[in-house]
Amino acid sequence: MRKLALATVLCAAGLSVPALALANEGESVVGDITPGIGFALTTKEEGETAPTVAASINYNVTEKAAIGLLAEYAFEELDHTIVGIRFRADVGNNFIVTVLPGVEFHESNEEILFRVGIGYDIEIGNQTLVPEFNVDFVDGETSFVYGFAIFF
């Protein structure tokens, strides 16, 4: 079932990128692809906290919007994996807002996940450091993910 969920996420992302580019109404599309890695702490409402690592890739649809894929793993007692399609928008003054529908895999369970977040782009040479705060909603539970990402 994990393979089916991952294939669904990848197909949806593959279909969404051209659709978003066409929706841009003829304006120039930036087209840059930016890979990134992230490090965070994930805290569940019950107080469980674990270190988290992530890998992502974004396609810049415009100068202010991107779509991409995110894969994330929370260690220790949380022991779950998240995959999803990430939508990112620059809302001004280097602040970004993200929305991510996806799937959380934990042991043999799969749950639909919805993430919203805010971050701040800090450009350092050719890289971007992004401190972020995200809130995950999964099966009636809320988790908080706070950390940073580096995009190359």
mmCIF file of all heavy atoms in Angstrom, residues 17 47 49 69 76 99 105 118 145:
data_model
loop_
_atom_site.group_PDB
_atom_site.id
_atom_site.type_symbol
_atom_site.label_atom_id
_atom_site.label_comp_id
_atom_site.label_asym_id
_atom_site.label_seq_id
_atom_site.Cartn_x
_atom_site.Cartn_y
_atom_site.Cartn_z
ATOM 1 N N VAL A 17 2.668 20.134 -12.124
ATOM 2 C CA VAL A 17 3.662 21.123 -12.546
ATOM 3 C C VAL A 17 3.296 21.766 -13.881
ATOM 4 O O VAL A 17 3.231 22.989 -13.981
ATOM 5 C CB VAL A 17 5.087 20.506 -12.575
ATOM 6 C CG1 VAL A 17 6.070 21.450 -13.242
ATOM 7 C CG2 VAL A 17 5.533 20.185 -11.159
ATOM 8 N N GLY A 47 3.037 15.162 23.613
ATOM 9 C CA GLY A 47 4.330 15.510 24.182
ATOM 10 C C GLY A 47 5.500 14.712 23.624
ATOM 11 O O GLY A 47 6.645 14.996 23.946
ATOM 12 N N THR A 49 8.411 13.855 21.315
ATOM 13 C CA THR A 49 9.239 14.687 20.446
ATOM 14 C C THR A 49 10.354 13.837 19.866
ATOM 15 O O THR A 49 10.923 13.003 20.567
ATOM 16 C CB THR A 49 9.833 15.869 21.228
ATOM 17 O OG1 THR A 49 8.762 16.661 21.730
ATOM 18 C CG2 THR A 49 10.712 16.732 20.355
ATOM 19 N N LEU A 69 8.076 18.033 -4.140
ATOM 20 C CA LEU A 69 7.869 16.809 -3.380
ATOM 21 C C LEU A 69 8.672 16.877 -2.093
ATOM 22 O O LEU A 69 9.786 17.413 -2.077
ATOM 23 C CB LEU A 69 8.335 15.598 -4.190
ATOM 24 C CG LEU A 69 7.597 15.328 -5.484
ATOM 25 C CD1 LEU A 69 8.267 14.175 -6.230
ATOM 26 C CD2 LEU A 69 6.145 15.005 -5.200
ATOM 27 N N GLU A 76 13.062 7.821 16.435
ATOM 28 C CA GLU A 76 12.754 7.410 17.806
ATOM 29 C C GLU A 76 11.320 6.971 17.978
ATOM 30 O O GLU A 76 10.800 6.205 17.175
ATOM 31 C CB GLU A 76 13.155 8.521 18.787
ATOM 32 C CG GLU A 76 14.642 8.826 18.746
ATOM 33 C CD GLU A 76 15.038 10.030 19.574
ATOM 34 O OE1 GLU A 76 14.164 10.683 20.174
ATOM 35 O OE2 GLU A 76 16.242 10.321 19.624
ATOM 36 N N VAL A 99 1.855 24.798 1.972
ATOM 37 C CA VAL A 99 0.713 23.902 2.163
ATOM 38 C C VAL A 99 1.140 22.565 1.585
ATOM 39 O O VAL A 99 1.724 22.511 0.501
ATOM 40 C CB VAL A 99 -0.538 24.433 1.428
ATOM 41 C CG1 VAL A 99 -1.678 23.448 1.530
ATOM 42 C CG2 VAL A 99 -0.935 25.793 1.967
ATOM 43 N N PHE A 105 3.059 7.519 7.008
ATOM 44 C CA PHE A 105 3.179 6.077 7.190
ATOM 45 C C PHE A 105 3.757 5.817 8.571
ATOM 46 O O PHE A 105 4.812 6.346 8.909
ATOM 47 C CB PHE A 105 4.121 5.481 6.138
ATOM 48 C CG PHE A 105 3.673 5.739 4.731
ATOM 49 C CD1 PHE A 105 4.222 6.778 3.989
ATOM 50 C CD2 PHE A 105 2.707 4.935 4.138
ATOM 51 C CE1 PHE A 105 3.825 7.014 2.686
ATOM 52 C CE2 PHE A 105 2.305 5.166 2.832
ATOM 53 C CZ PHE A 105 2.864 6.204 2.113
ATOM 54 N N ILE A 118 4.876 28.221 7.865
ATOM 55 C CA ILE A 118 5.419 29.532 7.546
ATOM 56 C C ILE A 118 6.936 29.449 7.723
ATOM 57 O O ILE A 118 7.444 28.696 8.557
ATOM 58 C CB ILE A 118 4.809 30.644 8.436
ATOM 59 C CG1 ILE A 118 5.240 32.016 7.943
ATOM 60 C CG2 ILE A 118 5.126 30.425 9.900
ATOM 61 C CD1 ILE A 118 4.429 33.159 8.507
ATOM 62 N N VAL A 145 6.079 20.928 13.809
ATOM 63 C CA VAL A 145 7.388 20.636 13.240
ATOM 64 C C VAL A 145 8.130 21.961 13.121
ATOM 65 O O VAL A 145 7.696 22.853 12.401
ATOM 66 C CB VAL A 145 7.251 19.972 11.847
ATOM 67 C CG1 VAL A 145 8.622 19.589 11.304
ATOM 68 C CG2 VAL A 145 6.322 18.766 11.905
#
